[in-house]
Amino acid sequence: MGFEVIWNCLLHENKMTLYIGREASKLWKRICSETTTEINLLLDNWKYLLAGLVFQYIHGLAARGVHYLHRPGPTLQDLGFFLLPELGQDKGYISETLFSCIFLSFLLWTFHPFVFKSKKIYTVLVWCRVLAFLVASQFLRIITFYSTQLPGPNYHCREGSKLARLPKPDSVLEVLIINFPRGVIYGCGDLIFSSHMIFTLVFVLTYQKYGTQRCMKQLAWLVAVVQSLLIVASRKHYTVDVVVAWYTVNLVVFFIDKKLPELPDRTSGNLPILLPLSTKDKESKTKEENQKLLNGNSVDPADWRPRTQVNGKVLEDANGIHVDTAMNGA
């Protein structure tokens, strides 16, 4: 009896080992296949990704530059400051922690096609789209916070703080390196509108369109609202900075999303280019179509029908030949 139990346990363990090995093999094949697909997409769209990443540096450089113009002063009257209790300087990390979770969650979601069977997006194409939204929103943000510099409500931006004013830079290099990450965390003057809300709303809107879990979409919007409240409660932004971000980012995403071609359906297996063809590609395509016309071939594949010449006439198909032959008394 004891031997039979041991034998059944060993047999079950062996089956589990085989199952795990088989599933691991499938997962590895899936990862390799997805990697090949994404590399091909990356080769076609690397310029757009690089441009988007370069603009992230430009945005950081602009935020660093406006810090040199910042002049601390009395905190402006703000409705959010009256309604929301101040978290305090020692609890300012709460909003940053939530934002880090939002960023990391979205990043992991964009890479889920490498692991899961059910997939709706291509990672490269989604990030091309996300960067387009971010660049447009950040461009408007740069124009806005350079137009008017408000006194920062954050603790390190108030009168008496050593970080509220930046001394004149000793060299251009000091400005270009933007003192990352300290210069980004302790920046002042780049208020209208909130950069944290730009990222948050772009991520939420993207998942709203391409995500598959309805409950996660609802949770994402709830988290975005909580993030907004925490930013104001932490006194990192005025309420107007958050409010302007809500309608500006939504409008930017709405209009740019209409201009960009829709992402391909993963079930079809087609890989169209995300952005419009370049002038060079269009010219080569036009030349190819003209050459087909000169050779007597139609550009439209649906019009590729066999043609036969009878009595000096070009007929579309065999049925036409019989009809014409009968009419001519042949």
Side-chain angles (χ1 to χ4, degrees), residues 52-63:
L53 293 174
V54 168
F55 195 85
Q56 298 309 301
Y57 168 75
I58 295 174
H59 175 254
L61 189 63

Side-chain angles (χ1 to χ4, degrees), residues 78-269:
D78 189 279
L79 179 62
F81 291 180
F82 284 113
L83 297 178
L84 296 175
E86 188 171 351
L87 288 180
Q89 192 170 2
D90 57 333
K91 295 180 180 179
Y93 67 91
I94 297 178
S95 64
E96 293 297 329
T97 302
L98 180 60
F99 177 75
S100 300
C101 293
I102 294 171
F103 191 95
L104 183 59
S105 299
F106 183 80
L107 180 66
L108 292 176
W109 172 75
T110 59
F111 282 91
H112 83 272
F114 287 85
V115 179
F116 296 99
K117 290 182 181 180
S118 59
K119 53 194 74 174
K120 187 179 179 181
I121 62 169
Y122 292 100
T123 303
V124 170
L125 299 186
V126 162
W127 275 106
C128 284
R129 213 174 189 88
V130 166
L131 286 172
F133 299 151
L134 291 175
V135 168
S137 300
Q138 290 167 337
F139 178 76
L140 295 175
R141 180 175 188 259
I142 292 172
I143 295 176
T144 306
F145 66 62
Y146 266 102
S147 299
T148 304
Q149 289 86 48
L150 302 178
N154 210 335
Y155 303 101
H156 63 268
C157 298
R158 298 176 184 178
E159 191 70 55
S161 173
K162 296 180 180 179
L163 300 174
R165 297 170 181 258
L166 286 182
K168 186 178 180 181
D170 297 329
S171 63
V172 177
L173 182 61
E174 183 180 343
V175 179
L176 294 178
I177 60 176
I178 65 176
N179 192 20
F180 184 84
R182 183 178 176 83
V184 177
I185 298 174
Y186 294 100
C188 296
D190 56 328
L191 293 175
I192 302 177
F193 42 98
S194 171
S195 180
H196 284 62
M197 290 309 303
I198 290 178
F199 279 90
T200 299
L201 291 172
V202 166
F203 292 165
V204 172
L205 288 167
T206 303
Y207 186 78
Q208 175 69 29
K209 183 172 183 178
Y210 299 110
T212 56
Q213 302 295 326
R214 183 178 179 183
C215 60
M216 292 302 297
K217 293 179 181 181
Q218 296 171 347
L219 178 62
W221 284 112
L222 177 61
V223 170
V225 172
V226 173
Q227 176 70 36
S228 303
L229 298 177
L230 286 176
I231 288 175
V232 176
S234 301
R235 304 301 188 253
K236 294 181 178 179
H237 278 278
Y238 292 108
T239 305
V240 66
D241 306 337
V242 175
V243 172
V244 172
W246 267 93
Y247 63 74
T248 302
V249 175
N250 276 278
L251 289 173
V252 166
V253 172
F254 175 78
F255 285 108
I256 293 184
D257 186 64
K258 285 184 173 296
K259 295 294 183 181
L260 294 177
E262 190 50 74
L263 293 185
D265 184 7
R266 293 231 55 174
T267 58
S268 64

Side-chain angles (χ1 to χ4, degrees), residues 14-74:
N14 186 37
K15 288 182 179 180
M16 286 296 298
T17 303
L18 291 174
Y19 174 78
I20 294 173
R22 185 169 62 251
E23 291 300 317
S25 177
K26 290 180 181 179
L27 177 61
W28 176 247
K29 290 180 180 179
R30 194 179 305 132
I31 292 174
C32 293
S33 175
E34 192 69 25
T35 301
T36 302
T37 301
E38 294 291 347
I39 288 176
N40 291 331
L41 288 171
L42 182 61
L43 293 175
D44 290 335
N45 299 282
W46 67 269
K47 294 180 181 179
Y48 309 119
L49 289 172
L50 180 61
L53 293 174
V54 168
F55 195 85
Q56 298 309 301
Y57 168 75
I58 295 174
H59 175 254
L61 189 63
R64 178 67 173 176
V66 80
H67 195 166
Y68 289 99
L69 304 176
H70 178 257
R71 295 295 178 265

Side-chain angles (χ1 to χ4, degrees), residues 302-317:
D303 200 31
W304 292 350
R305 298 185 292 271
R307 291 171 169 81
T308 307
Q309 186 170 359
V310 178
N311 294 335
K313 297 181 179 180
V314 177
L315 302 179
E316 294 295 335
D317 51 26

